[in-house]
Amino acid sequence: MAILKHRIKRVVTVLINPEFGTMTDFDKLLATAHAKGLKIMMDVVVNHSSNQNEWFKQSASSRDNPHADDYIWRDPVDGHAPNNWGAFFGGSAWEYVANRQQYYLHSFAVEQPDLNWENPKLRRAIYDMMNFWVNKGVDGFRLDVINLISKPISFADGPQLAGEPYAPIGPMIANGPRLNEFLQEMNDQVFAGHHLITVGETPEATVADAKQFSGLQRHELNMVFEFEHMGLDGNAAPELGKWNDQPVQLVDLKRSLTKWQNGLHGTAWNSLYWNNHDQPRIVSRFGDERPAYRQRSAKMLATLLHFLQGTPYVYQGEELGMTNAHFTALDDYRDLESLNAYHHFVETEHRVAATTMLSYLAHISRDNARTPMQWDSSLNAGFTVGTPWLAVNPNYAKINARAAQTTPGSIFSYYQRLIQLRHRLPIITTGDYQLRLPDDPAVYAYTRHRGDQTLLVICNFTAETQTRQFTALPTNAKLLISNYEDDHGNTLRAYEAKVYQY
């Protein structure tokens, strides 16, 4: 592996977008956070840039400028795009630029050209940029779609789904031939010698891949965000991908989480998440957002996640039980992926009725996670006095941070208890995991075991009363936490979650 040991001269300018403030504002944020004992992770996107980046403007201007090889350019093939890859957000993954008489690759939007990691000068500039933030004092990085940075040697056509004009790009570019080399180089040039936390977003990654990217002795990343459990409720028609409005099957969820828990135990480290900016609200997706059940099911999902081995990530509003937005018109959405999917499946291909597609968007669109944070019951949930990019969820008057902080037994206070238990009980960090009742379609139960200590976690995923007997549970078992005020033993009430310690 050819590690970059010398500097390749290039000026790297790091700025804060004026829409979000100034570098002085960032410095104040970082200092204030550190004074409160908090740490700041930066979200870094190095698979692609904006087409408004000066590097790309120069790269697109001609084939003989200093930035000519910063992006992935290919000549036309028989007068059209170099291959049949389709971008994640729809359409071809290639865009023609007349100045160069070539196409550039964009795995996502046309405005997001992919960077050319085969160029060592480009890699050096990226590491310089990351080191700028390290020297500022940031505490870690979340690396956006980091396992897409190494593209295949051959840009061959990929397999197309029935009736679709393009081949999905994900399987074609994920986990490329030099990925581990690039991650180890990044570790050597940026992470080594610093106390940083690093997590890579890795679509298409398997357990075996994650062991490489985040293996304890690999010197690459600390952990990865895998996508497997987030794809379990996709459409039965492969060409429709994620677009669906049906619930996940619990047996499938158990199988997936168990595979990752056991697969990485002792060799790598799991990230644990239900929500992020790309996923709909978990209480609407895997739980039950109806008023009678929202709090119970949100606490149940939190219990299941926080007793697994790994590092939990809590997305803004998850700790309040924020729900999907339930937009009813296409004009309510801003997410490019959602808008493109609607136009493609409804208007171009005529595969899905408009009402059905709107139901899919209401269930799974990324915009469900992007509505303004619900701080209080004032105008626009206290998020802004202006007009927000997305409409505020109408339920903000009841579901907001101020109400949660002043209401005994809130979802927020339950998350606090879970986090306290994780700090207090080493078994949650180091204990092994064993699934119980693997084929049960209604109850998710598992044990964590360390030495002579055991935790039994029981979660009812339904609104119906369930009865389950756990014969190995000793009579002296202590109820550690529950989302009900009392314990009915073998009877599990709607969305009941409880953890026994013995």
Side-chain angles (χ1 to χ4, degrees), residues 46-49 55-56 59-60 67-76 82-83 85 93-97 100-107 110 112-119 122 148-155 169 172-173 182:
V46 291
N47 175 71
H48 48 272
S49 79
W55 293 357
F56 182 75
S59 187
H67 293 278
D69 295 327
D70 284 358
Y71 296 85
I72 298 173
W73 297 94
R74 289 293 183 274
D75 292 330
N83 62 33
W85 295 355
W94 298 94
E95 183 73 5
Y96 187 72
V97 174
R100 291 186 55 133
Q101 297 184 23
Q102 286 183 306
Y103 288 85
Y104 69 84
L105 180 70
H106 60 90
S107 300
V110 173
Q112 297 172 309
D114 282 38
L115 292 160
N116 177 22
W117 273 72
E118 297 294 326
N119 180 354
L122 183 278
L148 306 186
I149 60 175
S150 173
K151 302 306 190 285
I153 297 173
S154 169
F155 281 72
I169 194 172
M172 305 306 298
I173 64 173
F182 292 155

Side-chain angles (χ1 to χ4, degrees), residues 274-285:
W274 289 132
N275 278 120
N276 60 38
H277 66 293
D278 285 334
Q279 304 295 339
R281 295 288 174 178
I282 196 62
V283 73
S284 301
R285 187 180 187 183

Side-chain angles (χ1 to χ4, degrees), residues 309-375:
Q309 185 177 54
T311 297
Y313 290 79
V314 180
Y315 180 70
Q316 59 182 33
E318 180 181 341
E319 76 284 11
L320 309 179
M322 281 179 60
T323 69
N324 278 359
H326 298 293
F327 292 142
T328 57
L330 189 64
D331 288 345
D332 294 329
Y333 291 91
R334 300 290 180 269
D335 174 37
L336 183 64
E337 180 190 40
S338 300
L339 297 174
N340 285 352
Y342 182 94
H343 294 314
H344 178 70
F345 291 120
V346 175
E347 299 171 349
T348 303
E349 297 293 326
H350 306 290
R351 288 177 183 248
V352 180
T355 53
T356 301
M357 195 66 199
L358 285 173
S359 177
Y360 292 169
L361 296 184
H363 180 71
I364 210 76
S365 169
R366 302 188 303 175
D367 275 345
N368 287 299
R370 299 174 180 186
T371 55
M373 177 64 181
Q374 294 165 208
W375 293 109

